[in-house]
Amino acid sequence: MLMYANEELQALYQEIVQRNPAEPEFHQAVAEVLGSLGPVLSKHPEFRDDRAIERLCEPERQIIFRVPWQDDAGRVQINRGFRVQNNSALGPYKGGLRFHPSVTLSVIKFLGFEQTFKNALTGMPLGGAKGGSDFDPKGRSDGEMMRFCQSFMTELYRHLGEYTDVPAGDIGVGQREIGYLFGQYKRMTNRYESGVLTGKGLDWGGALVRREATGYGLVYFVQQMLEIRKEHLEGRTCVVSGSGNVAIYTIEKVQQLGGRVVACSDSGGVVHDPDGIDLALVKQIKEVERGRIEQYVVRRKRGRFLPGASIWEIPCDVALPCATQNELNGKDALALVKNGCRIVAEGANMPTTPDAVRVFHEHGVAFAPGKAANAGGVATSALEMQQNASRDAWTFEFTDRRLGDIMRGIHQRCYETAEEYGTPGNYVNGANIAGFIKVARAMLALGVI
Ligand code: GLU
């Protein structure tokens, strides 16, 4: 299949597909980035000569390991653990851990690849990595979670360190899991090395705002997209898919800024509440009870639960996909356009399929890719690392202000780069090109390693 006008990139893509068979998510993430790089190679022949793209597409290290553990019934369970250390030109490897049955090497590789560009865009000294397991936390007891995390870390700890690789959370990994992982790391190494993991609890080295950061940062980015159009969030109708950490704090910030979120979801279906989602109730169900979003309508009679429905059929001005990869396809994009949606920004990693992105671009919908719009999470992880390194603890207001500044910086970098390379308003090109140039320059400076 011919994807690029540029023959060189086409050949390169083909080679990457052949070298990495059966990894569709990784191919998709690579294809999206290569689609932006044609003009960069023309302007910067040094990146071609030093094979910067090929190097970026070959992770520095890929670790796959067995994770054996015992469930509450005493049965032995076996899962597979992964850590893909994609690139460390800008700093120690950094990126989350995902515990979900859909996790494969392809998923972790695409996430590690994306993370490298995202982390570069933040302007912080961070390399890129991702890890996780095909373990399903759904229905597991606290004891099972702890034993699984301990077994996972018993293998992974030798590859980590505050100057080596610093994991955090992602889907299925929150503060509870980071606690069990940190505890086991501390026990194995006999070191209280706070900076080895981020997303920690406030009592043991965690930072204020880290929990809220991805969602808040996403909304700060959307504010910038609106400001350029001389608009604001107040009075706008928003739809936020998902109901995990990213979705919850996205909804919170939209509501604080006067927007109305009318729907959220989980894998079981969609809650539509035209009067505005009751966030306290969502937090109770998801953060405290670890339950299903279906519970919302049992307790709040005004809402409707639509099992198995597409959330993108609900009319909105701003759509914020915050669940998982490939959750918004071409058909969904057409429904959003038809209903008047004008802004889409990704809170999740690669939730929008390539044909959906095409639909948005064709219809003049402003579209922000996750590697720019959801970078507030990892940027605030870098702030947590700064606090750990200086044994300090900053206030909520100070940290939140820094997050706001970082998101404004990312927006500006993407916006200006898109303009410089002849595609004004195209945040996909802006993010891919700005992220690539930053990492590629550092790679070249460090020699052939
Ligand atoms: N998992 C988050 C992401 O996709 C955060 C990573 C981190 O804080 O290291 O960016």
Side-chain angles (χ1 to χ4, degrees), residues 13 29 74 138 143 165 216 227 284 328 331 346 356 416 418:
Y13 176 69
K138 214 178 277 166
D165 186 353
Y216 279 22
E227 208 168 274
Q284 173 64 24
L328 195 170
K331 188 167 152 274
E346 295 185 329
E416 289 176 359

Side-chain angles (χ1 to χ4, degrees), residues 94-96 115 118 130 166 168-170 198 210 349 374 377-378 381:
K94 182 84 195 86
Q115 196 82 44
K118 181 194 315 195
K130 203 81 183 193
V166 182
D170 196 81
T198 60
R210 178 61 192 90
N349 290 314
N374 75 31
V378 74
S381 279

Side-chain angles (χ1 to χ4, degrees), residues 81-84 95-99 103 108 111-112 129-133 152 156 167-168 170:
F82 302 92
R83 186 72 178 167
V84 173
L97 297 171
R98 177 177 291 191
F99 292 169
V103 163
I108 299 300
L111 289 164
K130 203 81 183 193
S133 174
F152 185 87
L156 190 62
D170 196 81

Side-chain angles (χ1 to χ4, degrees), residues 34 46 110 118 136 188 195 212 236 269 293 298 364 413 420-421 438:
L34 295 197
E46 71 274 18
F110 113 67
K118 181 194 315 195
D136 188 358
M188 306 282 296
E212 293 83 359
R236 299 267 166 244
I293 201 68
V298 176
R413 232 161 278 147
E420 188 189 333
Y421 281 83
K438 174 124 186 160

